[in-house]
Each structure stands twice: as C-alpha cells, then as structure tokens.
Amino acid sequence: MYVGGESKLFEIEIDKMSYFEIADYVKDCGSYTSKKFQILSEIPGMKFEDCLIKLNDDNDVNKLMHLLGDNFKEILNLYIEADVFNQELAALESSSSGSETDEIVEKDEILGSGSHTDDDDDEWIASTAAIVKVNNEDELSNKNLVESFLKQPADALEDAETYSSYDESEGDVNSPGESEEDDIRGKKYKADVPVANELTDWSKWAWVVGTRFPSRDSFKEAVRKYAVTKGRNLSITTSNKSRHGRIGVTCVKGCSFKIYLSFHEKKGCYMVKTAKGKHTCQRNMSKNRQLTAEFVADEFLPIFKARPHWPAKDIQVAIKEKFKLFIGKWMAYKAKRCAHNKLHGSMKEHYSKIGSYLEALRHENPSSTFALVIVPARYYGNDGNIDVFFRIFVCFDGVKKGFIGGCRKLLCLDGCFLKTFLGGMLLAAIGRDANDQMYPLAWAVVEGENNDSWTWFLNELKKCLDVNDGGKGWTLVSDQQKGLINAVTLIWNNAEHRNCARHIYANWHKKFKGDDLKGVFWKAVRAYCEADYKKAIEEMKEMSTDATTAFLNQNPRCFCRCFLEIGSKSDVIVNNMAETFNGYIIQSRSKHLINMLEDIRVSIMTRLVHMHKQMNGKNVIVCPRIQLKLDREKDMAYKCDVFPSSYNVFQVKDIDDVTVDLVKRTCTCRKWDLTGIPCYHVCAVTGFLHKPVEDFVHFYYTKEMYMKSYEFSIPPLPSERYWPVVDYPLDPPPIKIGPGRPKKNRKKDPHEDPKRPGKLTKHGMLMTCSICKLKGHNKRKCKERGKTSTETSSQQKRPRGRPRKSARTQTSQAAAP
C-alpha cells in the first residue's frame, strides 16, 4: 500500500546509475538525515502489488537497469519504506542506552582496582568524574573532526574549477575582430580549459583537450583523484618517459573512456591531446586500483594526526561516506601505517630526534631537570654500534618552584603502561595543592616497573628536590608494588610511606566478601583515633577471625589513619591523585615518546595558567574544596555542648567527651591534628566563642598558598623545525612481542562483567557436583564418576512433576464399587 509522502522528478542516465546515486536522489527528495531506508522499485507494465522489488546494493540496481533496457524513456517510480527507517532509528536510540555502561567500563579501565571500594569518598568521585568528562570531550571532538572533514563546504565547491583564458594565453593581445560578425572577444580567443587545483570538485570534472599539467606526477595525481571520486577503475596503460613523456589512461574493458597526455614543447608543459571522457561502464564501488593506502593516508592525514589509534572499522566507514567506495580492513591497516610514517617517520628517526628535543628544552628551560639514560646495543644482545634509548626523567623548574612554595610535602607515586607497540612505563610523582587537587611534579619513561627503575626514579626525584636527610618530614603514598616499596626503603628511608587502602582492600576482598566485612574494613581504616580503630577490629573479629588476621598482616600502620603522622596535614590513605593523572594523560599515552612528552608538557603548561586565573577571580580565604569540607563539619556542630576549662581549652560533649585545645590546635578525636581542617568539635567551640572557624584552618589550605603554587610557568617550545641540530643517533628499545593480540585494557577481576550490564555474575559461588553432592567441583572432575553405585543412584533419581498412576491401579479402583 502506498500511503503518500514527498515526491520529486529527476532526469537520469541509465549507464551512470548506482545505488549511491539513487540514495542521493532519495535524500534530495525527502527529509532523511541518513541512508538507512529501504528503496523499492516498480517494474513498468506490471501491477503495483506484484512488481515491487527491493534495491539493497549495486547488483540490484544493475539488474533493474538491465531489465529496463537502453531505450527506456518512461518514468520509473521508486518508493521508500519509511517504517524500516523509523524502526532502525528506534533501534539505534535503544542501543545508545548502553553508552552509560561503556562509560563505566572506560572509567574502570582508567582507574584500576580502586573501583571495588567505597563510593562515599567525595575526592574519588570528583576525580573519576573529571576523567570521564575529559574522555567524553576527547571522543566528541574526534567525532566532530571526522564529520567536519567529510563535509565539503559549499563555498569551496563554487571555486573548485577555476577558468582563466588570460592565464592560459600565449601573451598575444586578443583584440576585437574587424567586423561585427566576428566575436567581440577577438579571433584569437580560445575556449577556457579547466585548471586542477586544491579546490577542484572532482565529481564535476570533465576531461577536455588542452588541459595542462606542470609534470607527469601532477597528471597522475589528478587521474587518481578523478578515478576515486567517480568510482571508475582507471589504469595507466601507456607510460614512456623517453617519447615526450607519453601517458595513456583507460578504463575497464569495454568502456570508451581514454585520456592521452604528452609533453608540448611550444607550451613547455604536459598537455592532454586526446580526451574521450564519457564512460560506458557502471560505477564500481568495490574495486579501484587508484585507491591506494598512500592516497587514503594523504586524504585523511589531519584525522590520523588527531587520532593516532583511529580504528580500522571507522576508516572503512569514512572511505564509504567520502568516496562511496568499499575497502577491506587490511587496506585500512596499511593506510594507518602509511599515515604514521608520514607523520612521524620511522622509529629510528623518531628516537634520533631526542637529542635535539632535549637541547631545545634546555635552551628554553635552563634550570629544569632532564635526565637521559642510554645503553649500548649489546645490552639487548645486538651487535650494532648505535646506543639504545633506555630512560628519560622530566621535571620543569616552574612546576618544582610552585610545589616547594605552595604544596605540602606529600607525593603520590604510581606507574602506568604506555599504549604503543614499543611498550614501556610512565612513572609519575603527583603532589596536592592547597585545594586538594593534583599537582604533577615529575614524570619519567622507563623500560618497566621494577626495583631498578623505581630506585633510579626516586633517586632523580630526590636530587631534583634537594632532599638530603632521607626524606625526613616527607610523606609518600603508593600501591603495594614490590619494586616501589624496596626503592622507598632504600632511597627515602626516613619518609613516611603510606600504602593505598584501595589496593589493599581489593586483595583482601577477594577472599573475605560481604557488605558487613566491607563496612567494618573501611571503618577501621578511616578511624582517626586508636579507640575507634580498636572498636572496629573487635567487630571484625566477631564476624571473621581469619579476616581480622589477614587485615592485621597487612601492617595497618601504613594505611590506617589512626597511625599516620600529623606533619603533612593530610589524611590521605588512597592513591587517587596518581590515578587521576594517569587518566588525565590517557590520550597522550597512546603516542610515541617525543609526542607524548610534548602533550604532557603543553597540558601542564596551560593548566598552570588556567588554575591561577580561575582562583585569582575568587574572593575567598580558604580554598573552595576545603570550604565545602568545613561546611559539612559546621552542619554537625549542633550536636555538641561546649564547657570551657580555660580561655583556650574546652570540653565538648557529644556521644563521647573530647578535649579541644585552640593553642596547640589539637582535638581528642585527632581529625583536626591530622588534616589541619577543624572537626565539628572545633566548630562548636568557635561558635561558642563567636569566632570564625576559618581562622583555625591550617595555612596550607589558604588562597595565598594556592597562588604560590601556580605563580610560576613553563616556557613554550617552538616546533621541530626550529630545534637545534644535534647529531645524536639513537635506536628505539626493542619491541616486546608477547603471545596473542596485544591488550590495551586493564585486566579485570572475575566479578567485573561489563559485557552483561544488569546481570549478577557468579563470581565467588561454589559449584556443587551432581554425583557426589560435594562442593568445589562438577561431575566432569568427580572422582566417583564411572562407579556402578553412583550410576545406579543417579538413574533412580525421582523424575520431576507429580507421579502418574499406573493402569493396574486405575482398573482396581474402577472395579471396587
């Protein structure tokens, strides 16, 4: 049934028809924003109900054109099945609901094992939200980049073909003719010929005799662009440099298209001397020898530069949308490799630029710290004479001065994988500013995360910060990586070393599960005083003695707040800042060494200016994030009763009585001592004294200290062409090829199942054997399998459902009356 709609009449040529041409006509006729609709065609001379056929691809179109014949001059009616289009739109909208799950998976991949712990940490929630926001913005910008690149602006197409008889003239004056019958433009006026340039619309290009080209290569490039745009499988059949540089171009067998070009001595250029530009073949969407990997790389080079890991599937879609041609995935991979070589050159050339890059950095940042470590080729078992890149350490002077001037002596240490085929690790030391946000201090690229690499990194960090007393007064936070623990013990032996409670919980949780145990774990970890800690431990013992033993074996003094030193004025027991930095540079980690280091430098450089400008416009004394924490404490102060003991010492009654000393800035609950932010007991005392509680916040959290952190800057660096020339050849580190396809995503725990959102996994459940009824194995590995007794018992198993009565029982019951 035809239910009506928009209609429009188009004049077409049968020999030029293809599915894409028809789809374009359909979009011009209706208000469709996509090509996802069903096209149906009628066959002239048959009834409407019996003659509709579906057009899905070029084969269907070719069959229809063959059925119509070359002499068909009538109107061919095409119909669009809009219901299919609407259904597909609805399906797309419903499938988009899975984006939230993908976003969560991406967040888990970024943040690591920390996703298994408590959700009440505001700092953790804020950092994860920032990472997801950055990733979404990058994904949106990449998508917009591809879409804008595929669109051809109308103003560019209007100037695509430039005609100029003046430019093509031989210097003669075209004077008017002698009579009125002569053309007023002159006898010597010649017809304009098209000139190929960057704005040429190759879909409207027409080959004519006299078209000039400065070289053979420019003509070949024009033929390539024309063939790809028109979807014609052109080939160069004649090429002879010795005979005036002759070049002949033909189409497929049976097509009359032919172009012949040779050198014109009088003009001093190459000129088209034969042009049969009309095709008698059909458009070919699957085979085009002019569509090479190098051509694709040149056409989409800006996108390859912005998206180094552009998926092959998206490359295929982009080729289909721009040129209406289909390519295989291996062609997409070749184009990707070709684009990489054009942008970065070979890896040997890339690593040979490190000397020039470091020299340029030292010229612009003479007081900054840059350390390069190289090893001889024999270190990797090679016989070459060129040294091999091993490690590099970076710490900019502007960042270091800001950290020393306005940040606490607290550093979060962590490493993350580099997502290139060369592998390697990025080690980073991240501080905290006065607003409790990340402050990247130093980073290094190393061969892997081990004892030697961490020892070298911490030693360079120690020299950079001029720490001579073994790190006394400093606090380091890290996960339980063995190489890092050993390096801290060796290099920063006097520093307080805290372990990330999230990593400890992730390992502890694998054996001891349950929400009750989870709650008491974090209750013990977050306790500010030993009394609350011991109470939580007693609760844990009542639930599970083994869980308590495993908890105490983890050395609680390294991750429980009640045992932390108060000098750093921080209650940090998680490695959030380092994880946040790893997510902050997740796009840069996919690039090669110099490009990655430049991305990090530029992002930190702009961040220093942005954070300084943002805080400079705020009229505050205490930083905003600290003020939010302080406001929460104020809201809880109503519970307390204050009793003065002297002008500076008070007894505060709550559930338990505590003592507050305003001079020593201490409270029995120990929260004020450890963080430097007044607890609700102190808020009650300041309210009793009618004093602002902000006056009792530690100066580490003030706007003044924040501005000191961001008052310095990183100088800009010019592009590669302005770097000093340094002859310092280096080979890249050898490629580490592991078994199977390389993995980029983090290995997830068994109970993480992002492929089945909304479905509870069976992680942690014990299977039960159906033969011996014991837990821990199934019937395939049962030792009792195959024995007669077990087989007999399994055969005598009662069937499901209500048992049926036998025929004999039914007969006896019927005869009883």
Side-chain angles (χ1 to χ4, degrees):
M1 178 186 297
Y2 176 67
V3 295
E6 300 180 48
S7 62
K8 196 172 182 180
L9 189 65
F10 298 93
E11 185 176 352
I12 65 173
E13 296 182 22
I14 293 181
D15 59 345
K16 293 185 178 180
M17 284 308 299
S18 68
Y19 176 80
F20 282 110
E21 296 287 339
I22 295 178
D24 288 339
Y25 291 141
V26 171
K27 292 185 67 176
D28 291 341
C29 174
S31 57
Y32 302 106
T33 59
S34 173
K35 293 183 180 179
K36 296 184 178 181
F37 39 67
Q38 179 64 62
I39 305 176
L40 301 122
S41 172
E42 71 171 5
I43 301 177
M46 297 181 65
K47 294 182 180 181
F48 175 80
E49 296 83 1
D50 303 330
C51 68
L52 289 182
I53 60 174
K54 294 183 178 181
L55 303 180
N56 296 321
D57 50 27
D58 264 3
N59 293 330
D60 297 338
V61 175
N62 292 337
K63 291 178 182 179
L64 177 63
M65 296 298 112
H66 180 73
L67 184 64
L68 298 178
D70 297 335
N71 299 323
F72 180 76
K73 301 294 183 181
E74 302 176 10
I75 295 178
L76 177 66
N77 293 318
L78 300 180
Y79 302 92
I80 309 303
E81 191 171 347
D83 288 343
V84 173
F85 177 66
N86 293 333
Q87 289 171 6
E88 293 186 355
L89 268 185
L92 285 175
E93 291 175 356
S94 64
S95 64
S96 66
S97 61
S99 62
E100 296 180 359
T101 303
D102 297 338
E103 181 178 295
I104 294 173
V105 173
E106 185 178 8
K107 180 176 68 176
D108 288 344
E109 292 172 359
I110 296 169
L111 301 177
S113 60
S115 59
H116 306 305
T117 59
D118 58 323
D119 300 327
D120 299 330
D121 193 341
D122 296 333
E123 173 189 298
W124 179 256
I125 295 172
S127 63
T128 56
I131 295 173
V132 172
K133 180 181 178 182
V134 170
N135 291 335
N136 291 341
E137 289 176 353
D138 290 339
E139 184 178 356
L140 182 61
S141 62
N142 290 333
K143 183 179 179 181
N144 294 336
L145 174 66
V146 177
E147 291 179 353
S148 61
F149 187 80
L150 294 179
K151 290 181 180 178
Q152 294 182 346
D155 54 349
L157 296 181
E158 291 178 0
D159 299 331
E161 295 181 4
T162 305
Y163 296 88
S164 175
S165 58
Y166 180 80
D167 293 340
E168 297 294 326
S169 66
E170 302 174 17
D172 300 330
V173 178
N174 294 337
S175 58
E178 298 176 356
S179 64
E180 295 180 357
E181 296 179 357
D182 292 335
D183 194 329
I184 193 172
R185 293 175 292 182
K187 291 183 179 180
K188 290 190 176 183
Y189 178 81
K190 297 182 180 180
D192 291 325
V193 293
V195 178
N197 54 33
E198 297 178 354
L199 301 177
T200 300
D201 184 6
W202 294 100
S203 63
K204 300 178 181 178
W205 177 266
W207 292 98
V208 296
V209 176
T211 306
R212 304 177 190 178
F213 294 92
S215 63
R216 288 162 51 92
D217 293 336
S218 61
F219 170 73
K220 291 180 180 179
E221 188 65 23
V223 170
R224 187 182 304 278
K225 292 181 178 180
Y226 169 81
V228 173
T229 306
K230 288 284 190 177
R232 308 293 178 174
N233 190 16
L234 303 184
S235 58
I236 298 177
T237 55
T238 303
S239 181
N240 194 334
K241 294 183 179 180
S242 61
R243 300 184 64 184
H244 302 287
R246 298 180 178 182
I247 298 179
V249 180
T250 59
C251 194
V252 295
K253 186 177 181 181
C255 181
S256 61
F257 179 86
K258 183 178 180 182
I259 300 294
Y260 180 78
L261 173 135
S262 64
F263 187 77
H264 196 283
E265 295 183 354
K266 186 176 180 180
K267 305 289 185 183
C269 64
Y270 290 89
M271 182 180 292
V272 175
K273 298 183 178 179
T274 302
K276 295 181 181 179
K278 188 174 181 180
H279 290 272
T280 57
C281 62
Q282 296 291 334
R283 181 186 180 97
N284 193 332
M285 296 191 299
S286 58
K287 185 177 181 181
N288 194 314
R289 65 182 64 190
Q290 299 298 331
L291 184 64
T292 61
E294 186 175 1
F295 175 80
V296 174
D298 289 333
E299 287 294 312
F300 295 93
L301 199 61
I303 302 181
F304 282 112
K305 184 177 181 180
R307 303 182 63 185
H309 294 274
W310 196 17
K313 188 176 181 180
D314 293 351
I315 298 175
Q316 292 176 278
V317 174
I319 295 293
K320 179 181 176 182
E321 291 292 329
K322 186 173 179 65
F323 301 116
K324 301 177 182 179
L325 292 172
F326 299 102
I327 64 170
K329 64 176 182 178
W330 293 113
M331 171 65 79
Y333 289 138
K334 291 179 182 177
K336 195 173 177 180
R337 180 180 180 183
C338 186
H340 180 273
N341 291 334
K342 288 178 179 292
L343 290 170
H344 309 294
S346 65
M347 282 295 97
K348 188 177 181 65
E349 296 175 355
H350 182 85
Y351 277 81
S352 295
K353 299 175 185 176
I354 293 179
S356 298
Y357 175 67
L358 289 179
E359 190 64 27
L361 285 177
R362 291 190 180 102
H363 181 268
E364 300 294 335
N365 304 265
S367 56
S368 298
T369 304
F370 309 106
L372 176 65
V373 179
I374 59 175
V375 293
R378 62 177 179 274
Y379 181 84
Y380 291 105
N382 300 331
D383 298 330
N385 297 324
I386 300 178
D387 294 332
V388 182
F389 171 83
F390 194 54
R391 296 168 184 162
I392 187 171
F393 176 88
V394 177
C395 180
F396 290 98
D397 186 61
V399 177
K400 180 178 69 174
K401 289 180 178 178
F403 176 81
I404 295 174
C407 296
R408 288 156 283 174
K409 292 184 176 182
L410 183 142
L411 289 173
C412 296
L413 306 174
D414 196 16
C416 59
F417 288 98
L418 301 181
K419 300 183 179 182
T420 64
F421 62 89
L422 292 175
M425 297 283 293
L426 180 76
L427 309 183
I430 312 299
R432 283 175 173 254
D433 59 19
N435 199 30
D436 255 359
Q437 293 176 290
M438 73 169 184
Y439 193 91
L441 174 62
W443 48 92
V445 177
V446 297
E447 75 284 1
E449 202 172 7
N450 50 52
N451 288 342
D452 189 41
S453 61
W454 272 117
T455 302
W456 172 80
F457 177 76
L458 292 180
N459 196 28
E460 291 292 334
L461 187 63
K462 182 180 178 180
K463 292 188 294 183
C464 178
L465 296 174
D466 196 20
V467 177
N468 299 318
D469 52 358
K472 187 176 182 180
W474 286 79
T475 299
L476 304 181
V477 185
S478 69
D479 56 16
Q480 290 184 309
Q481 209 276 335
K482 292 182 179 179
L484 180 52
I485 294 176
N486 296 334
V488 171
T489 305
L490 180 65
I491 306 298
W492 294 68
N493 54 318
N494 291 330
E496 180 190 16
H497 189 194
R498 303 178 185 177
N499 292 335
C500 180
R502 292 183 183 273
H503 290 81
I504 294 174
Y505 173 76
N507 296 326
W508 183 81
H509 170 72
K510 292 178 181 179
K511 188 173 182 181
F512 307 103
K513 305 182 183 302
D515 291 340
D516 293 340
L517 282 175
K518 174 183 178 181
V520 75
F521 176 93
W522 288 106
K523 186 176 180 181
V525 167
R526 290 173 171 172
Y528 284 95
C529 61
E530 289 194 38
D532 294 338
Y533 167 79
K534 292 177 180 179
K535 182 180 179 181
I537 293 297
E538 291 299 325
E539 293 180 11
M540 188 183 296
K541 283 183 180 179
E542 294 178 0
M543 296 180 187
S544 174
T545 306
D546 295 337
T548 307
T549 304
F551 178 89
L552 296 176
N553 289 337
Q554 295 291 333
N555 191 7
R557 292 189 171 274
C558 293
F559 64 95
C560 291
R561 284 175 175 167
C562 65
F563 301 114
L564 302 183
E565 298 178 6
I566 62 176
S568 62
K569 295 302 174 187
S570 175
D571 61 349
V572 173
I573 51 173
V574 291
N575 208 14
N576 289 350
M577 290 297 102
E579 301 286 359
T580 302
F581 178 74
N582 294 342
Y584 182 71
I585 62 168
I586 190 170
Q587 300 295 334
S588 304
R589 286 158 53 191
S590 300
K591 301 180 180 180
H592 291 290
L593 182 64
I594 297 178
N595 305 94
M596 179 191 68
L597 294 177
E598 267 301 279
D599 273 10
I600 297 175
R601 185 192 65 83
V602 172
S603 61
I604 301 301
M605 178 182 68
T606 55
R607 188 175 187 273
L608 292 176
V609 179
H610 173 73
M611 302 298 277
H612 184 276
K613 181 180 178 182
Q614 189 178 29
M615 184 61 72
N616 194 33
K618 296 182 182 295
N619 186 17
V620 295
I621 299 176
V622 179
C623 292
R625 289 169 62 92
I626 308 304
Q627 187 65 52
L628 289 176
K629 295 181 180 180
L630 192 60
D631 291 342
R632 290 198 209 102
E633 300 295 335
K634 289 181 182 180
D635 293 339
M636 299 173 60
Y638 75 93
K639 304 187 221 177
C640 303
D641 296 324
V642 180
F643 301 93
S645 173
S646 66
Y647 290 106
N648 298 314
V649 181
F650 301 85
Q651 180 176 343
V652 181
K653 282 185 174 290
D654 187 18
I655 299 176
D656 296 319
D657 290 3
V658 297
T659 300
V660 175
D661 191 331
L662 296 182
V663 175
K664 296 180 180 179
R665 293 187 174 239
T666 60
C667 179
T668 309
C669 73
R670 205 170 170 270
K671 187 173 184 180
W672 190 22
D673 311 37
L674 185 60
T675 64
I677 303 173
C679 60
Y680 69 95
H681 304 118
V682 180
C683 293
V685 172
T686 55
F688 177 81
L689 297 175
H690 303 289
K691 293 182 179 181
V693 70
E694 284 77 10
D695 293 345
F696 296 90
V697 177
H698 200 279
F699 68 91
Y700 277 147
Y701 301 106
T702 59
K703 177 183 176 180
E704 180 184 356
M705 295 296 290
Y706 185 93
M707 300 302 288
K708 287 182 180 179
S709 300
Y710 294 97
E711 67 178 344
F712 302 97
S713 62
I714 299 175
L717 185 70
S719 59
E720 179 184 340
R721 58 181 296 194
Y722 301 105
W723 295 351
V725 178
V726 177
D727 186 15
Y728 196 73
L730 274 181
D731 278 345
I735 302 174
K736 300 176 183 178
I737 302 177
R741 186 180 182 89
K743 296 178 177 60
K744 289 188 175 182
N745 297 332
R746 175 180 60 85
K747 292 182 179 180
K748 299 179 178 59
D749 284 340
H751 61 275
E752 295 184 71
D753 195 1
K755 295 182 179 179
R756 301 179 66 187
K759 182 73 173 178
L760 182 65
T761 64
K762 293 185 178 180
H763 174 67
M765 295 181 62
L766 294 177
M767 62 181 71
T768 304
C769 177
S770 59
I771 297 178
C772 65
K773 308 303 179 183
L774 298 178
K775 294 184 178 296
H777 66 275
N778 56 16
K779 64 180 181 180
R780 289 180 296 179
K781 296 183 179 181
C782 183
K783 297 180 181 180
E784 301 295 328
R785 184 179 181 183
K787 296 183 179 180
T788 307
S789 59
T790 57
E791 292 180 356
T792 305
S793 61
S794 61
Q795 291 177 358
Q796 296 178 354
K797 186 178 179 180
R798 182 179 177 181
R800 292 184 179 180
R802 184 177 180 181
R804 293 190 176 187
K805 297 180 179 180
S806 61
R808 181 180 300 175
T809 306
Q810 292 178 357
T811 305
S812 61
Q813 289 178 352

